[in-house]
Amino acid sequence: QVQLQESGPGLVKPSQTLSLTCTVSGGSITTNSYYWSWIRQPPGKGLEWMGAIANGDRTYYSPSQRGRFTISRDNAKNTIYLQMNDLKADDTAVYYCAADWGPCTVGVPAMYGNWGQGTQVTVFS
């Protein structure tokens, strides 16, 4: 089973750009048919699937993300990235990296069996 570890700056200001890193161990991010996703949970709210990346650098995004988020990968470093532009207070949340098999995982947090511990991101002015 893979292990996922998120990291990134915890405090950012509105309109800034933020990059989060998900370091993967115990397996390769090039594993066929595995979908590597970012999911967040704002305070007092449910899980929100943001997007995923699969082999061939195919990416999938939530329609609500309005083009502000980009997911990428570095196969040599076995790492997944999330870049968020023009941060807003509503982006304050715990951000999770998650992974599991198959396209059925796209858009559905409950389909993911492998999760990191999450990293808190707070947008404040």
Side-chain angles (χ1 to χ4, degrees):
Q1 191 168 359
V2 296
Q3 291 83 47
L4 310 168
Q5 180 64 59
E6 306 89 344
S7 61
L11 297 175
V12 291
K13 294 184 177 181
S15 79
Q16 286 188 333
T17 295
L18 173 69
S19 292
L20 298 179
T21 297
C22 174
T23 303
V24 179
S25 59
S28 172
I29 65 171
T30 61
T31 300
N32 199 28
S33 298
Y34 237 67
Y35 284 66
W36 306 87
S37 297
W38 287 96
I39 297 168
R40 68 181 181 182
Q41 186 167 27
K45 297 183 179 181
L47 295 169
E48 177 186 357
W49 181 86
M50 301 174 65
I53 189 167
N55 271 359
D57 287 342
R58 290 171 292 146
T59 52
Y60 308 83
Y61 294 103
S62 167
S64 64
Q65 60 91 18
R66 298 186 300 275
R68 292 193 300 125
F69 307 150
T70 301
I71 297 175
S72 59
R73 59 197 284 166
D74 185 327
N75 293 341
K77 295 182 178 180
N78 220 36
T79 300
I80 307 294
Y81 303 98
L82 173 66
Q83 178 174 306
M84 298 182 289
N85 302 322
D86 189 23
L87 284 170
K88 307 178 188 306
D90 287 348
D91 294 316
T92 295
V94 177
Y95 285 75
Y96 297 95
C97 181
D100 218 311
W101 296 95
C104 59
T105 59
V106 173
V108 186
M111 294 300 294
Y112 291 89
N114 302 286
W115 292 74
Q117 292 184 331
T119 186
Q120 175 71 46
V121 173
T122 302
V123 182
F124 77 107
S125 57

